[in-house]
Amino acid sequence: MIKFTNVFKAFPKGGLALKDVSFHVAKGEFAFLTGHSGAGKSTVMKLIYAEERPTAGEVRVSGYNVNDMRPRDVPMLRRKLGIVFQDFRLLEDRTAEENVAFALEVTGARVSTIAARVMRVLTQVGLAAKAQAYPRELSGGEQQRVAIARALVNEPTVLLADEPTGNLDERATRGVFQLLRDINASGTAVVMATHDLDLVRQAPYRVIELQEGALVYDSAVDEASPRDQAAAP
Amino acid sequence: MNLTFREAMLTFKRAPLLSALSVTTIAFSLFVLGLFGLVVVNLQDALRGVEERVEVVAYLLPGAPVEAVAQALKDIEAFPEVQSASYVSEDDALARARAELVELRDVMQELERNPLPASIEVKLKPGFRDTDHVSAVAERLRGFGFVDDVRFGRDWVEKLDRLRGLAAAVGIIVGAAFAVVAIIIIGTTIRMAVLQRSREIAIMRLVGATDGFIRRPFLLQGAIKGLLGGAVAIGLSFGAYLLINRYLLQSAFFTQEQAAAIVAFGALIGLLGSSLSVGRHLKRV
Ligand SMILES: Nc1ncnc2c1ncn2[C@@H]1O[C@H](COP(=O)(O)OP(=O)(O)OP(=O)(O)O)[C@@H](O)[C@H]1O
Ligand SMILES: [Mg+2]
């Protein structure tokens, strides 16, 4: 599904953001990506959705080789992924419904099927009643739900969430996290980058920890008590 | 296509001010180009008017045989360069001179004998009114036995040649300069429209939109802006034309085809400008 093999990533003026990172996320798995600010979590995400290419090593995602992917295959890869960010990235001048529909329209989905599919995912994230609301009329938690609905509408095999709860209060955080767990329970793999170690401790999921670009801990590989290690500063 | 159209129209709705600015900018760029075009069109008209007066006159020896002259007229009219050839008899020449040279009317009245020769006046077809062709025709006219002398105002025809060349060169150079400036200005306004939507473009890419899909609404929008700008430019030019006609000088406006070409040119640079801007933007991010 997602396979990193000895991946290095250097930015032109940023030094090494990733050093020799290897891991594998299987179909249907839930994996946390943790680490301090600047550890390289977002960089891992960018490599997965082919925003960046690895400097060395190999990144394979859902049958594509990100290393030498043709630019015109990138959109095809992204249609198999759902991507969610800390800052939601909704289009301000479209309603919740239109934001979600947009992701389908972009892929050339049949127009007659769009409305029904949009309502289905909005219902799934618990926002069917606010379908006509604009982002500015929604709370942060609600906006993130719209973003998750948009990520889900193409029925991705993997949902990538880069600090999805970073801008939310505790209550909204719990709600969004529960939603991600439900999504995972229905068979979608989830990779979630987060700072929130309470969240990490709450759930029995795999933890991959980065430190200054190096993978220092992977609960699927290291035997020793995963929670404590992940919680260590 | 439906979706492309909807997205293109959304731009006008969401950014009415910037859209209006783009259309206005395109309109004024094309207006300047249009004004210059009017100058060129009118200059050409004026040149054509002058050209029409290019003629070759063959003066005949006294007593040229009438039948031979009539035959010669037919032959001359069959020359590929010749539009018309007409015979002016001695009496016609005198009558004309009397009418034209009013000051000398009294002198003319007292003449015992008509001093003016008969002539054949030859007008050339458009496209043959330059030194080379005129000289060639004059040379052939000299070949007729009853022709005394041939005149065509060589200096004048040569000047006309030079003027024509100059007008063409200025037209092409200045026109191209204006067109380039217009394209740059239009490209810039469209670039602003693209930048204004860069966040949206980034999101479109994240959800898997192809570059072609992202590009299409911009192209359509650019073409529409160019089209509107072109139409406004024609309107402005027509206003300018009316003012000039009223207060300065009698002049000509574009033909319908020329006006349509200007509007089409607007659409084309709108299309090119947005294609370049979006292409550059997509390549960069
Ligand atoms: N486009 C870039 N150009 C240069 N350096 C970059 C770029 N993107 C990231 N970096 C560097 O790479 C390193 C890892 O950044 P990354 O964004 O992956 O960290 P992160 O773990 O997501 O941090 P945070 O928790 O703050 O989001 C940082 O040192 C950052 O400065
Ligand atoms: Mg980050």
Side-chain angles (χ1 to χ4, degrees):
Chain A
M1 183 95 300
I2 300 174
K3 195 167 195 317
F4 276 51
T5 312
N6 306 111
V7 172
F8 288 79
K9 176 66 192 176
F11 286 108
K13 39 177 203 270
L16 267 183
L18 291 181
K19 298 167 201 159
D20 199 14
V21 171
S22 302
F23 66 88
H24 173 241
V25 176
K27 214 171 172 159
E29 201 174 355
F30 194 120
F32 283 116
L33 204 55
T34 66
H36 293 296
S37 185
K41 303 182 294 294
S42 296
T43 305
V44 167
M45 294 290 193
K46 283 178 187 161
L47 287 169
I48 296 175
Y49 61 85
E51 178 75 25
E52 297 287 349
R53 307 289 172 110
T55 310
E58 191 185 69
V59 175
R60 298 189 68 87
V61 180
S62 183
Y64 290 97
N65 188 335
V66 174
N67 293 57
D68 49 18
M69 225 172 147
R70 287 174 307 181
R72 63 191 161 99
D73 283 334
V74 172
M76 303 310 136
L77 167 63
R78 291 190 183 165
R79 290 174 195 186
K80 297 184 168 192
L81 306 174
I83 314 174
V84 175
F85 297 94
Q86 180 172 356
D87 57 358
F88 322 132
R89 302 201 190 172
L90 297 174
L91 297 169
E92 298 301 327
D93 43 23
R94 291 177 207 236
T95 62
E97 195 175 29
E98 287 167 350
N99 264 285
V100 177
F102 192 61
L104 273 181
E105 288 164 354
V106 146
T107 63
R110 285 235 313 282
V111 179
S112 57
T113 67
I114 290 180
R117 289 172 71 181
V118 169
M119 269 332 277
R120 182 144 30 88
V121 285
L122 279 176
T123 308
Q124 191 183 344
V125 301
L127 268 185
K130 307 235 169 166
Q132 307 300 328
Y134 286 91
R136 66 178 175 297
E137 299 165 345
L138 296 171
S139 73
E142 288 168 340
Q143 289 185 52
Q144 192 60 295
R145 284 168 187 272
V146 176
I148 292 172
R150 181 180 64 190
L152 286 180
V153 77
N154 273 313
E155 290 162 12
T157 47
V158 185
L159 185 72
L160 302 176
D162 193 350
E163 302 195 36
T165 60
N167 278 346
L168 305 180
D169 69 11
E170 199 192 330
R171 217 176 111 89
T173 294
R174 262 187 279 126
V176 163
F177 183 50
Q178 188 54 49
L179 182 56
L180 294 179
R181 295 183 72 164
D182 294 345
I183 288 163
N184 175 244
S186 66
T188 308
V190 176
V191 177
M192 173 172 170
T194 186
H195 281 123
D196 189 341
L197 296 180
D198 287 339
L199 220 57
V200 174
R201 276 190 220 97
Q202 258 177 49
Y205 294 138
R206 175 168 175 199
V207 178
I208 297 168
E209 187 183 344
L210 294 170
Q211 224 171 65
E212 289 173 14
L215 195 157
V216 293
Y217 175 75
D218 183 345
S219 63
V221 178
D222 302 79
E223 307 292 271
S225 58
R227 309 278 157 74
D228 294 347
Q229 288 248 359
Chain B
M1 187 58 218
N2 232 335
L3 191 64
T4 305
F5 188 70
R6 187 196 78 190
E7 291 296 316
M9 286 304 127
L10 263 181
T11 314
F12 289 101
K13 204 177 113 194
R14 279 201 229 107
L17 218 65
L18 188 61
S19 301
L21 188 71
S22 310
V23 172
T24 313
T25 316
I26 295 174
F28 273 96
S29 310
L30 290 178
F31 174 49
V32 172
L33 205 60
L35 279 186
F36 178 70
L38 273 184
V39 171
V40 171
V41 165
N42 280 288
L43 211 65
Q44 270 175 355
D45 275 5
L47 268 177
R48 211 170 299 129
V50 175
E51 270 182 2
E52 302 222 315
R53 288 198 251 145
V54 169
E55 63 176 10
V56 185
V57 183
Y59 294 102
L60 307 184
L61 291 168
V66 180
E67 308 80 42
V69 172
Q71 183 56 46
L73 272 179
K74 283 211 186 87
D75 292 350
I76 293 167
E77 281 196 313
F79 289 178
E81 302 94 336
V82 171
Q83 186 171 359
S84 66
S86 53
Y87 175 66
V88 181
S89 69
E90 283 110 334
D91 292 343
D92 292 343
L94 186 61
R96 225 196 256 170
R98 283 201 174 121
E100 284 174 11
L101 308 171
V102 184
E103 306 86 352
L104 300 180
R105 185 168 290 162
D106 296 342
V107 185
M108 296 274 192
Q109 223 61 285
E110 286 159 21
L111 287 173
E112 293 166 13
R113 210 175 57 80
N114 181 357
L116 297 174
S119 62
I120 295 176
E121 292 177 356
V122 179
K123 285 198 188 303
L124 300 186
K125 288 180 188 159
F128 293 108
R129 292 160 181 168
D130 55 71
T131 318
D132 289 350
H133 288 102
V134 173
S135 309
V137 170
E139 208 45 54
R140 246 173 289 152
L141 291 180
R142 276 196 190 97
F144 290 98
F146 47 79
V147 168
D148 181 18
D149 190 14
V150 178
R151 302 256 173 93
F152 62 87
R154 175 182 292 273
D155 284 1
W156 192 67
V157 174
E158 277 171 1
K159 250 180 217 148
L160 196 60
D161 274 359
R162 274 203 301 277
L163 203 59
R164 231 179 333 231
L166 189 72
V170 170
I172 289 168
I173 293 169
V174 179
F178 277 148
V180 166
V181 169
I183 288 173
I184 291 173
I185 290 174
I186 291 164
T188 310
T189 62
I190 290 173
R191 179 141 190 74
M192 275 160 65
V194 172
L195 284 179
Q196 199 203 25
R197 293 185 64 187
S198 60
R199 202 179 100 89
E200 192 167 348
I201 291 175
I203 293 173
M204 286 169 93
R205 288 189 133 179
L206 273 181
V207 296
T210 57
D211 284 358
F213 180 91
I214 296 171
R215 194 178 279 123
R216 260 176 274 143
F218 280 102
L219 297 191
L220 182 61
Q221 179 210 325
I224 291 174
K225 283 178 180 171
L227 204 72
L228 289 176
V232 173
I234 292 292
L236 290 174
S237 304
F238 191 68
Y241 156 76
L242 288 182
L243 286 178
I244 290 171
N245 250 7
R246 180 133 171 224
Y247 297 109
L248 287 174
L249 65 149
Q250 199 61 32
S251 56
F253 194 61
F254 300 118
T255 62
Q256 267 179 22
E257 291 77 27
Q258 286 167 332
I262 289 176
V263 175
F265 181 66
L268 187 73
I269 44 184
L271 196 71
L272 273 180
S274 44
S275 169
L276 287 176
S277 307
V278 183
R280 246 175 44 191
H281 184 78
L282 288 179
K283 207 164 271 163
R284 215 163 35 82
V285 287

